[in-house]
C-alpha cells in the first residue's frame, strides 16, 4: 500500500503520524487500516475538537467512538458516556466494551437496567443522560467525552428533542462525538454544533466501504437495475429492464413485438412477474447471495413469510450448524418457563432457526430477537424477514437486502419509501471484510416504473430536520436552573431555531428582491390622473363579487341576490367616478397593477412565514410557562422573577409525554386509594398508545374496585388540562386509553402469560415493551410520590417485573 504512494503523500502520512502519537498507538492494535474519514475524525479528537461524523451504514463510524474511549482511558480519571437511541443497541455496545475493557470499567444504564453506573465507560440511552443533566448527577464529574450514536434520531418526532437537550446542556468542557447516517445537510448540522459546542470538525463520507450492486427480480430472472455495459452514463437504467417491464417480464425480439401488441390490444395481461418467497431464497442461495435480509413492512407479513418458506421445505443449514443453533437457543432461553414457551411459539420459532430462517420485528419477545441477531451474526441463520426497525443501529449486516415493496403504511396511508429510507435499508447489504460487494434486490411489481426505481436508488437526499419543542418538564427544569429569561436564550440556541433562522435569512432575501420588483411595478402603473393602486383595488373587488355570485347563483336566496346586486351597483359607480377610469393608458396600467397585486400577495405570505419562524421556539416556551404559571407550578415574585413552586419541583422529576397530567394527579391525590395492581393499570393507561382502529375499552373490560373512579377523575383532569393548553395555543394531547389496563392489572395479580396476552390482544414483544414503559413510570412515582402512592408504586413494580418481563434484558 505504501509503495503506491507518491513521495509527497508518504511525507504527508509521516507528518500525520508524528502529529498524532495516540492515534498511532490505537492503530497499531487494529487488525485493519483506517479509512481517510476515520483518520481525519480521530486526528480532530486528538487535537482537542469535537467531531460530527456522517457516513453510510457499515462504513465504520464506531471506530471513531472507540478512539474517543481509548483517549479517555489514557487519563486515569476521565470518563466517557456512550449514548444510543435504543436499549437493544445500548446492550450490544455494553457487551462489546466489556469484552474490550473488562467488566470493572464498563457500566450500563437504560432506565430499567443499572450495572456499574460509576464505571469509566458507561453505555446508556439518551434519555438517561438527559435526566442526569437536569438532576446535576454526581456521575457527570470527570466526564470527558459523550458519544451520541445515531444522532440523526434528532429528527424523530417523538424522541428527537432529547438529543438537542443533551447537546445544549452538556458542560462546555465535555467533547461531543456525534455519529450520523449520511444526511444531506450535515454541514448545516455541523454549523449548529459549532455554535453551541465550540470547535467541531465535520467529516462527511459518502463512500460505502462495500460497493452496492442493485438488481431487480422479474419473473425468474435477476436483472441489474443500472446499465453495466460501461458504455452508458452513470445511473442509467438498464435497457433490458425497461423492455421487460414493457412486455410482461420478457426480453422481446423485434419480430415478436407485433404479437405482443395484438395480445395487449385484445385485453390480455402479462404473466405474473413475482416469484414466491421460497423460490427467491433458493435463487439467492444458488447465486451465493445469502445471508439476506428481506424487508417486509408488516410484522404479520414477516411471520407469514417464515411459514411460507418453511412450508416449501427450504433448509439452509447443515447438520452441525443445526446442532450449534439448538445449543445456543437452549442456553439463551433456559430461564423461560416451559408453560410460557408454548405461548411464545417457541417450538415453531426453533424449527425455523434450525432451518436457517427467522423473523425479526418489534412484536417478538426481546430475548428471541437477540437470539436471531446472534445467530445471524454467526452466519447460522441465512434468511431473516424483518420490519424496517432492523435498519436502525443493530449490527446485522447481510450479503443481500431484498425489498419486496417500495411502499409502506405510515399509520394513515400507503406511501412510497423515501430515498433516505431506501439508503438506510440497503445500508445493511455488504459485510465489511467478508464481502467484495453488497447486493440490493427489488422484487418487481406490476405498475412500477423502472426510471422511478432507478431514481430512488441513486438519490441520497436524507435531510436532518429538528423536531425540538419545549415540554413542561423541560421548562420547569431550565427555569429552576437558569431563570426564565436565560432559558429563553438557551432555547433560542436549539437546532430547531437555528434551522428556522436560516430559513428566515433566505425568505428575507426573497422578500427584499420582491419588494424591489413591487416598486418597479408601482412605478409602471403610476397614473397622472389619480391613485391607480386604489382604482385597481376596486376593480379586483368588483371581479371577486361577480365571481362568487356566479358560483353560488343556484343556492342564493332572493335577499342574498338583492344584497349582491346593491354591492355590485355601488362598486361599478365607485369605479366609474374614480379619476383613473378616464385615463387613455388605463388598461396598460391595469396589467402592471395585476402583477403588483399578485406579487404583493406572495410577499405578504413570505413576511408572515418570517414572523412565524422568528423566535418560534421561545414563543412555545412562553405558552408552556404561562400554563405552568396558571396552574401553580411556577410563580412570579413581586420583582417579576419566575421560579418553580413545590409542585413544580415535583414536576422536575417526572419525564414522559404526560408529565403535567401525572404531576396534577399526584398533587390532587387522585390515585391514593389504588392498590398495586390498580396503580399498575393506571400507569399502563398513561403510557399505552392504542392502534388507530382501537376504540376505548368499555367499563366491562376495566379493572374493578378503586380503579374506575380514579380513572374518571384522571380523565376529567386530562380534559381540563387539554382545554387550558388549547386556550394557550398549544396542541393538547390525545385522550387516555385503557386498552392495556385490565391486562396489566391481571399481570400484577400474578395471572399467567397466556391469559394476559389473550386479554391484551398483544404480541409478546409489544407486551414486554409496554410493561417496561409502565415500569419506568412506576419507578418515577416510587421516588416522587409522597406517602401511600409511593409505597404502592414500589409494590406494583415488584408485582409486574416478573416472567418474560424480568428476563428480557432489552426492550
Amino acid at each position: 500500500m505504501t509503495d503506491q504512494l507518491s513521495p509527497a503523500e508518504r511525507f504527508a502520512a509521516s507528518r500525520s503520524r508524528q502529529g498524532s502519537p495516540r492515534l498511532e498507538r490505537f492503530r497499531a492494535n487494529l487488525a485493519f487500516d483506517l479509512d481517510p474519514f476515520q483518520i481525519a475524525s480521530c486526528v480532530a479528537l486528538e487535537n482537542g475538537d469535537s467531531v460530527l461524523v456522517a457516513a453510510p451504514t457499515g462504513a465504520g463510524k464506531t471506530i471513531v467512538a472507540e478512539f474517543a474511549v481509548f483517549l479517555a482511558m489514557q487519563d486515569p480519571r476521565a470518563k466517557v458516556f456512550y449514548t444510543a437511541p435504543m436499549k437493544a443497541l445500548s446492550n450490544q455496545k455494553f457487551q462489546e466494551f466489556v469484552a474490550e475493557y473488562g467488566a470493572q470499567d464498563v457500566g450500563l444504564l437504560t432506565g430499567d437496567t443499572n450495572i456499574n453506573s460509576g464505571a469509566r465507560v458507561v453505555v446508556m440511552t439518551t434519555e438517561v443522560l438527559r435526566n442526569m443533566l437536569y438532576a446535576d448527577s454526581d456521575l457527570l464529574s470527570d466526564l470527558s467525552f459523550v458519544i451520541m450514536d445515531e444522532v440523526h434520531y434528532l429528527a424523530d418526532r417523538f424522541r428527537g428533542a432529547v438529543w438537542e437537550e443533551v447537546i445544549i446542556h452538556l458542560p462546555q468542557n465535555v467533547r461531543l462525538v456525534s455519529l450520523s447516517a449520511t444526511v444531506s445537510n450535515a454541514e448545516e448540522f455541523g454549523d449548529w454544533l459549532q455554535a453551541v459546542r465550540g470547535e467541531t470538525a465535520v467529516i462527511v463520507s459518502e463512500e460505502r466501504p462495500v460497493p452496492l450492486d442493485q438488481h431487480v427480480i422479474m419473473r425468474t430472472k435477476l436483472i441489474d437495475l443500472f446499465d453495466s455495459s460501461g458504455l452508458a452514463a452513470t445511473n442509467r437504467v438498464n435497457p433490458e429492464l425497461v423492455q421487460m417491464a414493457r412486455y410482461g417480464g420478457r426480453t422481446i425480439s423485434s419480430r415478436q413485438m407485433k404479437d405482443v401488441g395484438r395480445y395487449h390490444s385484445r385485453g390480455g395481461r402479462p404473466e405474473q412477474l413475482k416469484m414466491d418467497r421460497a423460490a427467491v431464497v433458493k435463487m439467492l442461495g444458488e447465486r451465493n447471495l445469502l445471508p439476506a435480509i428481506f424487508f417486509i413492512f408488516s410484522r404479520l407479513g414477516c411471520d407469514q413469510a417464515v411459514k411460507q418458506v418453511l412450508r416449501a421445505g427450504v433448509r439452509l443449514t447443515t447438520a452441525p450448524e443445526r446442532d450449534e443453533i439448538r445449543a445456543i437457543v437452549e442456553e439463551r432461553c433456559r430461564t423461560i418457563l416451559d408453560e410460557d414457551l408454548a405461548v411464545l411459539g417457541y417450538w415453531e420459532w426453533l424449527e425455523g432457526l434450525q432451518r436457517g430462517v427467522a423473523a425479526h420485528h418489534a412484536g417478538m419477545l426481546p430475548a428471541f430477537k437477540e437470539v436471531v441477531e446472534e445467530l445471524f451474526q454467526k452466519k447460522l441463520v441465512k434468511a431473516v424477514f424483518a420490519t424496517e426497525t432492523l435498519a436502525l443501529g443493530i449490527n446485522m449486516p447481510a450479503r443481500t437486502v431484498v425489498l419486496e415493496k417500495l411502499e409502506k403504511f405510515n399509520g394513515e396511508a400507503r406511501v412510497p419509501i423515501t430515498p433516505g429510507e431506501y439508503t438506510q435499508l440497503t445500508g445493511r447489504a455488504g459485510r465489511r471484510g467478508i464481502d467484495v460487494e453488497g447486493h440490493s434486490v427489488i422484487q418487481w411489481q406490476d405498475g412500477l416504473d423502472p426510471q422511478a426505481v432507478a431514481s430512488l436508488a441513486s438519490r441520497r437526499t436524507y435531510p436532518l430536520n429538528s423536531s425540538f419543542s419545549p415540554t413542561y418538564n423541560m421548562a420547569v427544569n431550565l427555569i429552576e436552573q437558569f431563570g426564565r429569561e436565560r432559558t429563553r436564550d438557551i432555547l433560542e440556541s436549539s437546532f430547531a431555531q437555528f434551522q428556522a433562522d436560516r430559513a428566515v435569512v433566505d425568505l428575507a432575501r426573497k422578500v427584499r428582491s420582491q419588494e424591489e420588483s413591487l416598486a418597479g411595478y408601482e412605478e409602471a402603473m403610476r397614473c397622472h390622473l389619480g391613485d391607480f393602486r386604489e382604482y385597481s383595488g376596486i376593480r379586483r373587488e368588483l371581479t371577486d363579487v361577480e365571481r362568487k355570485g356566479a358560483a353560488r347563483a343556484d343556492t342564493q336566496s332572493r335577499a342574498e341576490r338583492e344584497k349582491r346586486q346593491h354591492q355590485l351597483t355601488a362598486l361599478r359607480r365607485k369605479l366609474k367616478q374614480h379619476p383613473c377610469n378616464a385615463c387613455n393608458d388605463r388598461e396598460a396600467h391595469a396589467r402592471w397593477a395585476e402583477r403588483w397585486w399578485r406579487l404583493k400577495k406572495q410577499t405578504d405570505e413570505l413576511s408572515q412565514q418570517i414572523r412565524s419562524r422568528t423566535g418560534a421556539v421561545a414563543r412555545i416556551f412562553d405558552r408552556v410557562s404561562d400554563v405552568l404559571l396558571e396552574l401553580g407550578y411556577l410563580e412570579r415574585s413581586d420583582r417579576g422573577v419566575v421560579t418553580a413552586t413545590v409542585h413544580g419541583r415535583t414536576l422536575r422529576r417526572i419525564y414522559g409525554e404526560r408529565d403535567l397530567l401525572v404531576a396534577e394527579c399526584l398533587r390532587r391525590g387522585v390515585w391514593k386509594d389504588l392498590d398495586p395492581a390498580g396503580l399498575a393499570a393506571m400507569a399502563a393507561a398513561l403510557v399505552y398508545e392504542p392502534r388507530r382502529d382501537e376504540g376505548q375499552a368499555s367499563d366491562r373490560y376495566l379493572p374493578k374496585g378503586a380503579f374506575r373512579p380514579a380513572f374518571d377523575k384522571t380523565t376529567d383532569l386530562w380534559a381540563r388540562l387539554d382545554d387550558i393548553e388549547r386556550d394557550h395555543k398549544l396542541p393538547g394531547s390525545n385522550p387516555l386509553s385503557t386498552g392495556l389496563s385490565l391486562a396489566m392489572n391481571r399481570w400484577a395479580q400474578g395471572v399467567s402469560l397466556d391469559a394476559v396476552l389473550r386479554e391484551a390482544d398483544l404480541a409478546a414483544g409489544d407486551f414486554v415493551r409496554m410493561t417496561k414503559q409502565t415500569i419506568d413510570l412506576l419507578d418515577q412515582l416510587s421516588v416522587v410520590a409522597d406517602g401511600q402512592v409511593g409505597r404502592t408504586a414500589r409494590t406494583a413494580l415488584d408485582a409486574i417485573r416478573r416472567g418474560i418481563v424480568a428476563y428480557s434484558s432489552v426492550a
Side-chain angles (χ1 to χ4, degrees):
M1 179 76 183
T2 312
D3 295 339
Q4 298 168 9
L5 299 177
S6 69
E9 287 170 330
R10 284 201 296 273
F11 177 73
S14 172
R15 286 290 301 272
S16 171
R17 284 193 290 272
Q18 290 170 12
S20 308
R22 285 180 290 179
L23 174 56
E24 287 312 305
R25 286 205 303 278
F26 176 72
R27 288 172 77 174
N29 294 320
L30 298 176
F32 52 88
D33 202 10
L34 299 181
D35 290 340
F37 87 89
Q38 294 168 326
I39 293 171
S41 304
C42 293
V43 167
L45 284 176
E46 185 160 355
N47 289 342
D49 296 343
S50 294
V51 293
L52 165 64
V53 186
T57 301
K61 295 185 290 290
T62 51
I63 281 288
V64 183
E66 288 165 17
F67 181 62
V69 175
F70 175 83
L71 286 177
M73 297 302 274
Q74 307 305 300
D75 180 331
R77 291 172 58 86
K79 292 198 297 193
V80 57
F81 288 172
Y82 192 115
T83 74
M86 296 177 293
K87 292 178 182 177
L89 189 55
S90 296
N91 194 62
Q92 189 176 71
K93 295 310 299 182
F94 169 71
Q95 290 164 355
E96 289 174 12
F97 284 133
V98 166
E100 177 71 21
Y101 293 104
Q104 73 282 357
D105 277 329
V106 183
L108 177 67
L109 291 172
T110 60
D112 56 306
T113 304
N114 185 332
I115 301 171
N116 200 14
S117 61
R120 300 275 309 279
V121 182
V122 185
V123 181
M124 62 187 68
T125 53
T126 318
E127 282 85 354
V128 168
L129 178 53
R130 185 271 313 272
N131 299 354
M132 272 190 198
L133 289 166
Y134 283 157
D136 197 19
S137 167
D138 292 340
L139 296 175
L140 294 167
S141 62
D142 297 319
L143 183 60
S144 181
F145 292 95
V146 165
I147 298 153
M148 301 196 81
D149 203 354
E150 309 283 339
V151 77
H152 50 271
Y153 254 86
L154 183 140
D156 184 79
R157 188 161 58 98
F158 300 105
R159 299 173 56 210
V162 177
W163 272 255
E164 289 192 51
E165 289 178 77
V166 167
I167 291 168
I168 292 168
H169 299 306
L170 271 177
Q172 282 298 315
N173 63 307
V174 176
R175 279 186 282 161
L176 195 63
V177 180
S178 305
L179 308 179
S180 170
T182 306
V183 292
S184 49
N185 61 334
E187 285 77 10
E188 178 188 44
F189 184 52
D191 287 348
W192 174 67
L193 288 172
Q194 181 95 10
V196 295
R197 301 295 318 161
E199 213 48 60
T200 302
V202 179
I203 288 102
V204 178
S205 173
E206 299 202 24
E207 288 296 313
R208 282 179 51 98
V210 180
L212 183 68
D213 282 1
Q214 309 194 65
H215 317 276
V216 173
I217 293 181
M218 190 179 286
R219 290 166 65 90
T220 58
K221 193 169 183 182
L222 190 69
I223 311 160
D224 288 344
L225 174 58
F226 295 110
D227 190 339
S228 56
S229 65
L231 304 174
T234 307
N235 291 341
R236 177 190 172 216
V237 69
N238 188 347
E240 182 186 3
L241 177 62
V242 174
Q243 191 189 60
M244 290 184 74
R246 192 175 298 150
Y247 299 116
R250 297 182 184 85
T251 304
I252 303 286
S253 70
S254 57
R255 284 185 301 182
Q256 293 172 303
M257 287 191 182
K258 289 182 182 176
D259 294 336
V260 174
R262 283 196 293 273
Y263 172 77
H264 281 290
S265 69
R266 293 197 302 269
R269 287 185 54 77
E271 292 177 39
Q272 177 67 22
L273 303 186
K274 190 174 178 184
M275 293 175 74
D276 68 48
R277 286 163 175 149
V280 174
V281 171
K282 286 175 182 173
M283 174 197 272
L284 296 179
E286 288 163 2
R287 291 171 180 261
N288 197 26
L289 293 178
L290 295 177
I293 299 171
F294 291 70
F295 281 112
I296 301 174
F297 301 117
S298 110
R299 299 176 183 182
L300 182 61
C302 293
D303 293 334
Q304 288 175 339
V306 171
K307 288 175 183 171
Q308 287 167 12
V309 171
L310 295 181
R311 269 200 310 268
V314 169
R315 188 182 296 277
L316 305 173
T317 53
T318 63
E321 285 176 332
R322 289 193 286 278
D323 292 341
E324 188 178 352
I325 288 167
R326 190 177 190 95
I328 290 171
V329 173
E330 288 176 351
E331 168 63 24
R332 299 289 178 272
C333 299
R334 72 183 190 284
T335 56
I336 301 178
L337 300 174
D338 287 347
E339 65 206 58
D340 289 349
L341 290 177
V343 177
L344 296 168
Y346 171 83
W347 303 109
E348 297 87 345
W349 173 67
L350 176 58
E351 170 64 15
L353 291 176
Q354 290 186 117
R355 287 163 65 177
V357 180
H360 187 288
H361 56 72
M364 293 171 63
L365 187 70
F368 282 16
K369 281 197 298 181
E370 289 175 37
V371 169
V372 172
E373 290 158 15
E374 180 180 349
L375 294 177
F376 194 81
Q377 287 165 9
K378 292 185 177 205
K379 306 175 201 160
L380 295 170
V381 164
K382 318 293 172 84
V384 169
F385 296 89
T387 54
E388 70 265 37
T389 53
L390 181 57
L392 301 171
I394 302 297
N395 182 25
M396 268 183 74
R399 176 162 293 170
T400 303
V401 162
V402 180
L403 300 181
E404 291 200 350
K405 291 183 179 173
L406 295 179
E407 62 176 22
K408 65 175 186 175
F409 186 69
N410 67 355
E412 297 177 0
R414 297 207 71 81
V415 296
I417 64 172
T418 65
E421 287 168 332
Y422 182 89
T423 303
Q424 191 83 7
L425 295 167
T426 57
R428 293 275 150 221
R431 298 162 300 173
R432 189 169 190 172
I434 301 172
D435 297 321
V436 178
E437 72 272 313
H439 299 266
S440 74
V441 176
I442 296 166
Q443 281 212 281
W444 193 260
Q445 306 274 330
D446 278 341
L448 280 182
D449 172 15
Q451 200 59 56
V453 174
S455 174
L456 174 74
S458 59
R459 285 168 61 213
R460 291 290 176 267
T461 52
Y462 186 62
L464 181 61
N465 293 314
S466 172
S467 59
F468 184 82
S469 187
T471 65
Y472 296 109
N473 168 276
M474 186 194 304
V476 175
N477 268 295
L478 294 180
I479 287 170
E480 190 71 353
Q481 282 185 280
F482 304 109
R484 185 169 182 173
E485 288 312 306
R486 172 81 179 106
T487 294
R488 288 181 99 261
D489 293 341
I490 289 169
L491 295 178
E492 290 283 13
S493 69
S494 66
F495 187 46
Q497 192 58 56
F498 185 83
Q499 288 191 306
D501 290 344
R502 285 206 160 185
V504 163
V505 171
D506 292 335
L507 290 172
R509 189 181 297 121
K510 194 169 182 181
V511 166
R512 282 196 299 276
S513 171
Q514 292 187 179
E515 282 173 345
E516 290 172 11
S517 299
L518 284 170
Y521 293 166
E522 199 157 8
E523 185 60 38
M525 71 178 178
R526 190 183 299 281
C527 179
H528 65 289
L529 297 178
D531 184 346
F532 201 87
R533 193 202 302 182
E534 181 183 72
Y535 176 73
S536 65
I538 299 168
R539 277 176 63 144
R540 287 172 67 85
E541 188 179 356
L542 180 59
T543 302
D544 284 348
V545 173
E546 287 174 337
R547 190 180 294 125
K548 287 175 186 171
R552 298 175 54 204
D554 297 336
T555 59
Q556 281 185 326
S557 65
R558 182 176 174 182
E560 285 174 326
R561 283 198 297 274
E562 286 181 359
K563 181 181 177 183
R564 183 175 65 85
Q565 197 54 51
H566 286 311
Q567 194 177 5
L568 287 170
T569 302
L571 285 169
R572 286 169 184 151
R573 186 185 306 116
K574 191 174 179 183
L575 192 69
K576 201 168 183 180
Q577 291 172 352
H578 197 285
C580 292
N581 197 55
C583 179
N584 293 333
D585 295 325
R586 183 184 66 199
E587 292 312 308
H589 292 330
R591 283 193 292 276
W592 285 108
E594 196 54 39
R595 293 177 191 172
W596 186 91
W597 283 109
R598 276 201 301 269
L599 191 61
K600 178 74 166 67
K601 183 184 177 188
Q602 291 176 16
T603 306
D604 288 346
E605 287 171 354
L606 289 174
S607 298
Q608 175 54 39
Q609 284 186 50
I610 290 172
R611 285 192 294 275
S612 68
R613 294 184 185 209
T614 303
V617 175
R619 204 160 41 245
I620 295 170
F621 165 72
D622 286 339
R623 293 169 187 166
V624 165
S625 300
D626 289 344
V627 168
L628 294 172
L629 282 163
E630 182 176 327
L631 291 170
Y633 288 87
L634 296 174
E635 60 187 359
R636 184 180 276 111
S637 70
D638 296 339
R639 292 179 294 138
V641 177
V642 175
T643 54
T645 63
V646 63
H647 306 301
R649 287 191 282 280
T650 298
L651 178 56
R652 283 189 70 181
R653 296 184 289 164
I654 300 170
Y655 300 95
E657 294 209 10
R658 299 195 186 272
D659 48 6
L660 185 57
L661 178 59
V662 171
E664 277 289 276
C665 289
L666 291 178
R667 176 182 179 180
R668 299 180 188 284
V670 170
W671 302 332
K672 65 182 184 339
D673 296 328
L674 290 173
D675 62 8
L679 189 58
M682 186 65 71
L686 288 158
V687 301
Y688 183 60
E689 296 168 11
R691 297 186 292 267
R692 289 176 59 80
D693 57 350
E694 187 179 322
Q696 181 59 273
S698 72
D699 282 356
R700 213 176 91 216
Y701 298 106
L702 293 182
K704 293 183 173 56
F707 178 86
R708 297 183 188 196
F711 182 74
D712 289 342
K713 290 177 186 175
T714 303
T715 303
D716 289 344
L717 271 178
W718 166 81
R720 178 170 170 255
L721 291 178
D722 195 62
D723 288 341
I724 292 171
E725 287 173 326
R726 293 180 193 281
D727 288 345
H728 286 275
K729 298 182 180 176
L730 289 167
S733 59
N734 293 324
L736 277 69
S737 174
T738 53
L740 185 62
S741 294
L742 183 56
M744 192 61 67
N745 183 268
R746 299 188 69 194
W747 180 249
Q749 291 173 342
V751 172
S752 73
L753 175 66
D754 183 28
V756 167
L757 290 184
R758 276 191 281 108
E759 186 76 59
D761 189 24
L762 276 179
D766 291 324
F767 178 70
V768 170
R769 180 169 49 83
M770 297 309 301
T771 306
K772 295 266 182 156
Q773 291 180 25
T774 304
I775 285 170
D776 187 48
L777 178 54
L778 288 171
D779 198 32
Q780 293 181 47
L781 295 179
S782 72
V783 175
V784 172
D786 293 328
Q788 184 59 44
V789 174
R791 289 191 292 274
T792 305
R794 286 187 282 278
T795 307
L797 276 170
D798 293 335
I800 66 172
R801 200 185 269 134
R802 67 179 181 89
I804 62 168
V805 177
Y807 54 62
S808 293
S809 61
V810 295

